[in-house]
Amino acid sequence: RGGPENLPILTDHLDTFDNPAKEQLRRKPHLVVLGSGWGAVGMLGNLDKNDYDVTVISPTNYFLFTPMLPSAAVGTLELKSLMESIRHIVRRVNGHYLEASAEKVLFSEKLIKVRVKGSGQEFYVPYDKLVIAVGSTANTHGVKGLQYSNQLKIAEDAMEIRRKIVTNLETACLPTTSDEERKKLLSFVICGAGPTGVEMAAEIFDLMNEDLTRSFPKILRQEISIHIIQSRSHILNTYDKTISEFAMGRFEHDQIDLLTNSRVREILPDQVIFDQKNSDGTLETKSVPFGLCLWSTGVAQNPLAQQVVKDLSAYQKNKRAIETDAQLRVLGAPLGDVYAIGDCSTVRTELAEHCSDYVRKYIIGSQSPQFVKSRHIITDDDIKHVDLTYFELKQLCNQISQQNPLAAGPLGLVEELIPKYDAEKRGRLTFDQVKLLMKEVDSKVTSLPATAQRANQQGKYMGKKLSKLRKSSTTLSINDIVDGDIDNAIARPFKYKHLGSLAYIGNSAVFDLPGYSFVGGLIAVYLWRSIYFAQSVSFRTRVLLFMDWLNRGIFGRDILT
Ligand code: FAD
Ligand code: MG
Ligand code: MG
Ligand code: MG
Ligand code: MG
């Protein structure tokens, strides 16, 4: 026992001594991973085995292929084809799994306070390295009555939606059901028109048109309605405009009721109350009855992430995510102990804050005659008195973008901004002016998207880096490590590569790839996704998915469970 609350401290796992491979790892550094989603699994797949004694802690004992969850919710795919046991994934690195939730991180004691799902019992897990990948939760926007709606985040959610659709369909067929009641049972309301909401609407539409009439009375088809409530004027508004418009056109054609400029006010047991903005700007309160209401209006911060931000509040300034540096290290935690990846995290560039460090580095490396003389004795005062030409500024920016790949975009456009800060038109900027310029660049850095793509890339990056850290601990010389920053000595900062987005809209897919957007067929969706999936999980799931598609092609959707 120990720690501030005198709770039991985990020393050995139950499976350590019956497994020679695991017993050997006992003396290796303890790497603890919080979460079993995209970020965590991306990391575990890229970690060399036998580098660390790995423990994964997560309340969900499976990895979920979320992009295809809407398909599972209507029976196009089997849920189990989208799930992979986390124990299976952990086995590769001879690691351990604990089904529990992390409650708090004690940074100075290097302990994680963990709570058991059912019993609520608590204990500590010690770590040497910690990776936080706890994801996000659904955004409630403070709306009342969410308990009457369904969410789509975990496997159980998809199962519940599927069950509800079947129950409503069966009830709609009973002689005791009135016409009005039947219409309500067959009304689907989707709150939020991001990718999840849009795909759910498309899947429900296809189900009703393709498979329903085979086994249910044809009359039901006329009574089904699908409504999407969206606060903005467009759907899929994180996508390219052509895609958003294509999707809207498609839905109009399919007679899906798009309620744009509408804000949900409250959800009652069988209807949604919302305010719709008219073209003259006035608000009108309306309601729409439902048999199934899906709440998919975006993401909010996970409770553990909230706790971390609170505990490190002197350093953490973002209210929505854990902030890390470019090496994905949590700001405010001891350097190199704690990392955060995926939806729960964001990378802060802080160019203005670190401006003097960057200028110092630039001066040291510069060939400019202005600096060559003073290269070895650069005081803070020297830095405050620098006066950089436009050319030198560009060099400085190039150098900064090497260390901050996420700021590379705005830094590349800095040439247009420079004259604005050169108030006296001298062709040069003083240090204070450079700092102001960097502040503007900081504000132009777009935050990373909350997507599987991003979480997966960060996971891969972390896995590779952590293995590299183990191997380099013996080969690095003291000169390689500047300011005790081992991460920077061995690895480049994380760089996000946007591979495009994709949404499925009624038997066709819209792609939003870097540089161009296009519309393709259903096969393209599955291909694109299964390639992605194959990389992340196992052969088993690939086989299952393939059989699902074959099965659906021949026999239609399985809506009976
Ligand atoms: P997650 O994958 O959510 O994993 C978080 C993990 O942490 C979970 O295992 C959870 O159980 C665990 N956890 C939570 N709290 C704790 C705690 N206190 N202690 C320990 N463990 C904890 N993205 C795309 O790029 N393309 C898509 O097409 C796409 N479609 C989507 C469709 C749906 C229906 C949904 C829900 C999401 C979709 N996403 C898509 C988004 C994508 O799933 C997320 O961005 C991604 O899962 C983020 O990965 P993560 O590792 O950060 O979090
Ligand atoms: Mg994760
Ligand atoms: Mg997920
Ligand atoms: Mg996941
Ligand atoms: Mg995460």
Side-chain angles (χ1 to χ4, degrees), residues 411-456:
L411 281 169
L413 301 172
V414 92
E415 242 175 319
E416 292 155 31
L417 295 176
I418 294 172
K420 184 170 142 195
Y421 290 90
D422 182 11
E424 301 94 41
K425 306 276 168 272
R426 297 182 306 119
R428 290 169 169 276
L429 294 195
T430 65
F431 178 74
D432 287 335
Q433 287 169 333
V434 175
K435 207 166 161 178
L436 287 176
L437 173 72
M438 288 305 151
K439 218 174 194 153
E440 175 154 3
V441 173
D442 271 333
S443 73
K444 285 191 179 337
V445 176
T446 45
S447 50
L448 292 170
T451 60
Q453 213 178 90
R454 187 265 277 229
N456 192 245

Side-chain angles (χ1 to χ4, degrees), residues 188-262:
F188 296 87
V189 176
I190 287 152
C191 309
T196 301
V198 164
E199 294 199 12
M200 223 19 231
E203 288 279 6
I204 293 169
F205 182 84
D206 288 353
L207 167 74
M208 298 304 163
N209 283 290
E210 291 166 11
D211 301 293
L212 192 74
T213 42
R214 293 200 211 186
S215 16
F216 284 89
K218 286 201 171 50
I219 182 152
L220 291 192
R221 178 60 201 96
Q222 268 68 59
E223 316 225 321
I224 287 164
S225 60
I226 303 173
H227 316 264
I228 301 180
I229 302 179
Q230 159 76 336
S231 57
R232 314 245 190 138
S233 60
H234 275 71
I235 63 173
L236 290 177
N237 49 39
T238 56
Y239 285 57
D240 188 85
K241 199 160 164 245
T242 50
I243 281 178
S244 161
E245 275 162 9
F246 170 83
M248 287 187 58
R250 178 93 203 191
F251 279 173
E252 229 159 79
H253 171 262
D254 290 346
Q255 289 162 346
I256 289 175
D257 179 26
L258 263 182
L259 300 156
T260 51
N261 298 313
S262 300

Side-chain angles (χ1 to χ4, degrees), residues 36-39 41 62-67 153 452 455:
S36 52
W38 277 99
V41 167
Y62 56 84
F63 166 76
L64 184 62
F65 189 70
T66 49
K153 194 94 178 122

Side-chain angles (χ1 to χ4, degrees), residues 132-152:
I132 304 176
V134 293
S136 51
T137 59
N139 197 339
T140 64
H141 295 285
V143 167
K144 271 193 298 190
L146 287 185
Q147 69 270 28
Y148 306 120
S149 69
N150 283 76
Q151 291 187 5
L152 187 57

Side-chain angles (χ1 to χ4, degrees), residues 39 132-136 341-345 455:
I132 304 176
V134 293
S136 51
I341 58 175
D343 281 7
C344 69
S345 70

Side-chain angles (χ1 to χ4, degrees), residues 37-58:
W38 277 99
V41 167
M43 197 204 92
L44 292 166
N46 285 274
L47 196 67
D48 291 345
K49 57 172 162 187
N50 304 332
D51 280 346
Y52 293 90
D53 185 13
V54 179
T55 304
V56 175
I57 302 172
S58 173

